[in-house]
Coordinates of all heavy atoms in Angstrom, one line a residue:
F19 N -3.5 -6.8 -68.8 CA -2.7 -6.2 -69.9 C -2.0 -7.2 -70.8 O -2.0 -7.1 -72.0 CB -1.8 -5.1 -69.3 CG -2.5 -4.2 -68.3 CD1 -2.3 -4.3 -67.0 CD2 -3.4 -3.3 -68.8 CE1 -3.0 -3.5 -66.1 CE2 -4.1 -2.5 -67.9 CZ -3.9 -2.6 -66.6
G37 N -1.0 0.4 -72.0 CA -0.5 1.8 -72.1 C 0.9 2.0 -72.6 O 1.8 2.1 -71.7
S97 N 13.7 1.3 -60.6 CA 13.5 0.6 -61.8 C 12.0 0.6 -62.2 O 11.2 -0.3 -61.9 CB 14.0 -0.9 -61.7 OG 15.4 -0.8 -61.4
G98 N 11.6 1.7 -62.8 CA 10.3 2.0 -63.1 C 9.5 2.6 -61.9 O 10.0 2.5 -60.7
A99 N 8.4 3.2 -62.1 CA 7.6 3.7 -61.0 C 7.1 2.5 -60.2 O 6.9 2.6 -59.0 CB 6.4 4.5 -61.6
T100 N 6.9 1.4 -60.9 CA 6.4 0.2 -60.2 C 7.3 -0.2 -59.0 O 6.8 -0.5 -57.9 CB 6.4 -1.0 -61.2 OG1 5.6 -0.6 -62.4 CG2 5.7 -2.2 -60.6
E101 N 8.6 -0.1 -59.2 CA 9.5 -0.4 -58.1 C 9.4 0.6 -57.0 O 9.4 0.2 -55.8 CB 10.9 -0.5 -58.6 CG 11.8 -1.3 -57.5 CD 13.1 -0.6 -57.2 OE1 13.6 0.2 -58.0 OE2 13.7 -0.9 -56.1
A102 N 9.3 1.9 -57.3 CA 9.1 2.9 -56.3 C 7.9 2.7 -55.5 O 7.9 2.9 -54.3 CB 9.1 4.3 -57.0
L103 N 6.8 2.4 -56.2 CA 5.5 2.2 -55.5 C 5.6 1.0 -54.5 O 5.2 1.1 -53.4 CB 4.4 1.8 -56.5 CG 4.0 3.0 -57.5 CD1 3.1 2.4 -58.6 CD2 3.2 4.1 -56.8
Y124 N -5.0 1.3 -60.3 CA -3.9 0.6 -61.0 C -3.6 -0.7 -60.3 O -3.6 -0.8 -59.1 CB -2.7 1.6 -61.0 CG -1.5 1.0 -61.8 CD1 -1.6 0.8 -63.2 CD2 -0.3 0.8 -61.2 CE1 -0.5 0.3 -63.9 CE2 0.8 0.2 -61.9 CZ 0.6 0.0 -63.2 OH 1.7 -0.5 -63.9
S126 N -1.0 -2.6 -59.5 CA 0.1 -3.1 -58.7 C -0.1 -2.7 -57.2 O 0.7 -3.2 -56.4 CB 1.4 -2.5 -59.2 OG 1.6 -1.2 -58.7
Y127 N -1.0 -1.8 -56.9 CA -1.1 -1.4 -55.5 C -1.4 -2.5 -54.5 O -0.8 -2.7 -53.5 CB -2.1 -0.2 -55.3 CG -1.9 1.0 -56.2 CD1 -3.1 1.7 -56.6 CD2 -0.7 1.4 -56.7 CE1 -3.0 2.8 -57.4 CE2 -0.6 2.5 -57.5 CZ -1.7 3.2 -57.9 OH -1.6 4.3 -58.7
N169 N -3.7 8.7 -57.2 CA -3.1 8.6 -58.5 C -3.7 9.7 -59.4 O -4.9 9.6 -59.7 CB -3.4 7.2 -59.1 CG -3.1 7.1 -60.6 OD1 -3.8 6.4 -61.3 ND2 -2.1 7.7 -61.0
P171 N -2.6 12.5 -62.7 CA -3.8 12.0 -63.5 C -4.0 10.5 -63.3 O -3.1 9.8 -63.2 CB -3.4 12.4 -64.9 CG -2.4 13.5 -64.8 CD -1.7 13.2 -63.6
H172 N -5.3 10.2 -63.4 CA -5.7 8.9 -63.0 C -5.9 7.9 -64.1 O -6.6 8.1 -65.1 CB -7.0 9.0 -62.2 CG -7.6 7.7 -61.6 ND1 -8.6 7.1 -62.2 CD2 -7.2 7.0 -60.6 CE1 -8.9 6.0 -61.5 NE2 -8.0 5.9 -60.5
N173 N -5.2 6.8 -64.0 CA -5.4 5.6 -64.9 C -6.3 4.7 -64.1 O -6.0 4.3 -63.0 CB -4.0 4.9 -65.1 CG -4.1 3.6 -65.9 OD1 -5.1 3.3 -66.4 ND2 -3.0 2.9 -65.9
P174 N -7.5 4.3 -64.7 CA -7.8 4.4 -66.1 C -8.8 5.5 -66.4 O -9.2 5.7 -67.6 CB -8.6 3.1 -66.3 CG -9.3 2.8 -65.0 CD -8.3 3.3 -64.0
D201 N 1.0 8.7 -56.9 CA 1.4 8.1 -58.2 C 1.1 9.1 -59.2 O 0.0 9.3 -59.6 CB 0.7 6.8 -58.4 CG 1.0 6.1 -59.7 OD1 1.7 6.8 -60.5 OD2 0.7 4.9 -59.9
E202 N 2.2 9.8 -59.7 CA 2.0 10.9 -60.6 C 2.8 10.6 -61.9 O 3.4 11.5 -62.5 CB 2.6 12.2 -60.0 CG 1.8 12.6 -58.7 CD 2.2 14.0 -58.1 OE1 2.9 14.7 -58.7 OE2 1.6 14.3 -57.0
V203 N 2.7 9.4 -62.4 CA 3.4 9.0 -63.6 C 3.0 9.8 -64.8 O 3.7 10.0 -65.8 CB 3.5 7.5 -63.9 CG1 4.1 6.8 -62.7 CG2 2.1 7.0 -64.1
Y204 N 1.7 10.3 -64.8 CA 1.2 11.0 -66.0 C 1.2 12.5 -65.7 O 0.4 13.3 -66.2 CB -0.2 10.6 -66.3 CG -0.3 9.1 -66.6 CD1 -0.8 8.2 -65.7 CD2 0.2 8.6 -67.8 CE1 -0.8 6.8 -66.0 CE2 0.1 7.2 -68.1 CZ -0.3 6.3 -67.2 OH -0.3 5.0 -67.5
V230 N 5.8 9.7 -56.8 CA 6.5 8.8 -57.7 C 6.2 9.2 -59.1 O 5.0 9.6 -59.5 CB 5.9 7.3 -57.5 CG1 6.3 6.4 -58.6 CG2 6.3 6.8 -56.1
S231 N 7.2 9.2 -60.0 CA 6.9 9.4 -61.4 C 7.8 8.5 -62.3 O 8.5 7.7 -61.7 CB 7.3 10.9 -61.7 OG 6.8 11.2 -63.1
S232 N 7.6 8.6 -63.6 CA 8.2 7.6 -64.5 C 8.7 8.3 -65.7 O 8.0 9.0 -66.4 CB 7.2 6.5 -64.9 OG 7.7 5.7 -65.9
F233 N 10.0 8.1 -66.0 CA 10.5 8.6 -67.3 C 9.9 7.8 -68.5 O 9.8 8.4 -69.6 CB 12.0 8.4 -67.4 CG 12.8 9.2 -66.4 CD1 13.4 8.6 -65.3 CD2 12.9 10.6 -66.5 CE1 14.1 9.4 -64.3 CE2 13.6 11.3 -65.6 CZ 14.2 10.7 -64.5
G234 N 9.4 6.6 -68.2 CA 8.8 5.8 -69.3 C 7.7 6.5 -69.9 O 7.5 6.5 -71.2
K235 N 6.9 7.2 -69.1 CA 5.7 7.9 -69.7 C 6.1 9.2 -70.3 O 5.6 9.5 -71.4 CB 4.7 8.2 -68.5 CG 4.4 7.0 -67.6 CD 3.5 6.0 -68.4 CE 3.2 4.8 -67.5 NZ 2.6 3.7 -68.2
T240 N 8.7 3.4 -72.2 CA 8.1 2.5 -71.1 C 9.0 1.3 -70.9 O 9.1 0.8 -69.8 CB 6.7 2.1 -71.4 OG1 6.6 1.3 -72.6 CG2 5.7 3.3 -71.5
G241 N 9.6 0.8 -72.0 CA 10.4 -0.4 -71.8 C 11.7 -0.2 -71.1 O 12.4 -1.2 -70.7
K243 N 11.9 1.2 -68.1 CA 11.6 1.0 -66.7 C 12.5 1.8 -65.8 O 13.3 1.3 -65.0 CB 11.6 -0.5 -66.3 CG 10.6 -1.3 -67.0 CD 9.1 -1.0 -66.6 CE 8.7 -1.4 -65.2 NZ 7.3 -1.2 -65.0
V244 N 12.5 3.1 -66.0 CA 13.3 4.0 -65.1 C 12.3 5.0 -64.5 O 11.5 5.7 -65.2 CB 14.4 4.8 -65.8 CG1 15.2 5.5 -64.8 CG2 15.3 3.9 -66.6
G245 N 12.2 5.0 -63.2 CA 11.3 5.9 -62.5 C 12.0 6.6 -61.3 O 13.2 6.4 -61.2
Y319 N -2.9 9.2 -71.0 CA -3.0 8.9 -72.5 C -4.1 7.9 -72.7 O -4.0 7.1 -73.6 CB -1.7 8.6 -73.2 CG -0.8 7.6 -72.6 CD1 -1.2 6.4 -72.0 CD2 0.6 7.9 -72.7 CE1 -0.2 5.5 -71.6 CE2 1.6 7.0 -72.2 CZ 1.1 5.8 -71.7 OH 2.0 4.9 -71.2
F320 N -5.1 7.9 -71.8 CA -6.3 7.0 -71.9 C -7.6 7.8 -72.1 O -7.7 8.9 -71.6 CB -6.4 6.2 -70.6 CG -5.1 5.4 -70.3 CD1 -4.4 5.6 -69.2 CD2 -4.8 4.3 -71.2 CE1 -3.2 4.9 -69.0 CE2 -3.6 3.6 -70.9 CZ -2.9 3.8 -69.8
R366 N -11.5 1.2 -71.8 CA -10.4 2.1 -71.9 C -9.5 1.9 -73.1 O -9.0 0.9 -73.4 CB -9.5 1.9 -70.6 CG -8.4 3.0 -70.4 CD -7.3 2.6 -69.5 NE -6.4 1.7 -70.2 CZ -5.3 1.2 -69.7 NH1 -5.0 1.4 -68.4 NH2 -4.5 0.4 -70.4
Ligands
PLP401 C1 -0.9 4.7 -62.7 C2 0.4 4.0 -63.1 N1 1.4 3.9 -62.1 C3 2.5 3.3 -62.4 C4 2.8 2.7 -63.6 C5 4.1 2.0 -63.8 O1 5.1 2.8 -64.4 P1 6.5 2.2 -64.8 O2 6.3 1.6 -66.1 O3 7.5 3.3 -64.8 O4 6.8 1.1 -63.8 C6 1.8 2.8 -64.6 C7 2.1 2.2 -66.0 O5 1.2 1.9 -66.7 C8 0.6 3.5 -64.4 O6 -0.4 3.6 -65.3

Side-chain angles (χ1 to χ4, degrees):
F19 309 105
S97 298
T100 309
E101 197 225 340
L103 294 167
Y124 184 61
S126 84
Y127 307 150
N169 170 214
H172 183 253
N173 173 13
D201 180 345
E202 301 189 3
V203 299
Y204 301 103
V230 171
S231 192
S232 171
F233 294 108
K235 309 290 177 188
T240 60
K243 295 296 285 187
V244 187
Y319 48 42
F320 301 114
R366 188 199 76 178

